[in-house]
Amino acid sequence: MTVKQALDLRDYIRDIPDFPKPGIVFKDITPLLADGSAFCTSVSELACHVPQDIDAIVGIESRGFLFGAGLAQQLCMGLVPVRKPGKLPADVHAIEYELEYGVDRLEIHRDALSEGHKVVIVDDLLATGGTVRATINLVQQLGAEVVACLFVVELLALGGRQRISEVPVHSLITYE
Ligand code: AMP
């Protein structure tokens, strides 16, 4: 009899030092995406943490779209994209947020969500939490409620979770 080993998603995340700039260790998820079992496992595990009775999955550009779309498809839910400026064609609501150097901006279609909608936000990675904090604010400004935030990878040392402490957070893989 063969005993099937549980798949460890950590084996499919690759460290790329000094990308996109010196001093950053980029967590590359492309080996995970390239492996059917690993990708499928990651989406199924994320799906286990989606509460009942939500109205949509919100995916953050761009790697959040990959997992968000898989999750939405698996749960037969709609997917709402949160995008970088100038990408969404219809009327948008925007938010600016601070980066280490300068500001960035995220946009959502104004008619994508409305008062009372419950959503789950998905991204590939939680680092300082600035991106997901801005996304939560964006969703809330449309009157919707964020009931959970899901990530494949979380970098614990950067404290992102503390910036979104009012929302339940789940990450599949954590690094100290
Ligand atoms: P933050 O706003 O600092 O939580 O950063 C999260 C966003 O930046 C996510 O959309 C990630 O895709 C990306 N990101 C930040 N740091 C890394 C990293 N070390 N490796 C890969 N992606 C990262």
Side-chain angles (χ1 to χ4, degrees):
M1 192 179 84
T2 54
V3 178
K4 208 172 168 198
Q5 295 282 319
L7 183 148
D8 187 350
L9 292 177
R10 224 170 259 275
D11 295 339
Y12 299 86
I13 308 289
R14 172 167 74 171
D15 280 2
I16 310 288
D18 298 321
F19 182 89
K21 51 186 181 184
I24 304 282
V25 179
F26 191 86
K27 297 290 183 192
D28 180 19
I29 54 146
T30 61
L32 188 155
L33 296 174
D35 185 282
S37 300
F39 189 24
C40 187
T41 298
S42 66
V43 171
S44 297
E45 287 189 11
L46 289 172
C48 294
H49 298 279
V50 175
Q52 295 282 312
D53 301 326
I54 64 157
D55 298 289
I57 303 289
V58 172
I60 305 178
E61 185 165 357
S62 60
R63 291 180 291 278
F65 295 167
L66 303 168
F67 295 99
L71 195 53
Q73 198 275 340
Q74 178 153 336
L75 298 172
C76 227
M77 311 250 4
L79 176 70
V80 174
V82 165
R83 301 211 63 180
K84 306 267 167 64
K87 304 280 190 182
L88 289 170
D91 190 22
V92 297
H93 178 61
I95 192 164
E96 290 196 338
Y97 63 103
E98 289 195 15
L99 299 173
E100 197 179 345
Y101 303 104
V103 291
D104 215 339
R105 184 181 161 99
L106 287 171
E107 296 180 349
I108 191 168
H109 273 151
R110 275 188 194 275
D111 63 0
L113 296 171
S114 31
E115 197 76 36
H117 277 156
K118 291 187 170 149
V119 307
V120 167
I121 295 176
V122 182
D123 203 359
D124 68 322
L125 185 140
L126 175 63
T128 66
T131 309
V132 70
R133 178 71 263 167
T135 303
I136 292 171
N137 294 348
L138 201 56
V139 166
Q140 289 175 340
Q141 285 162 10
L142 290 183
E145 182 189 350
V146 179
V147 294
C149 291
L150 306 181
F151 304 91
V152 179
V153 177
E154 178 176 356
L155 306 181
L156 294 170
L158 296 178
R161 191 178 274 262
Q162 283 84 283
R163 290 180 74 174
I164 54 170
S165 54
E166 83 274 26
V167 179
V169 175
H170 187 80
S171 310
L172 302 185
I173 307 167
T174 58
Y175 295 91
E176 292 300 330

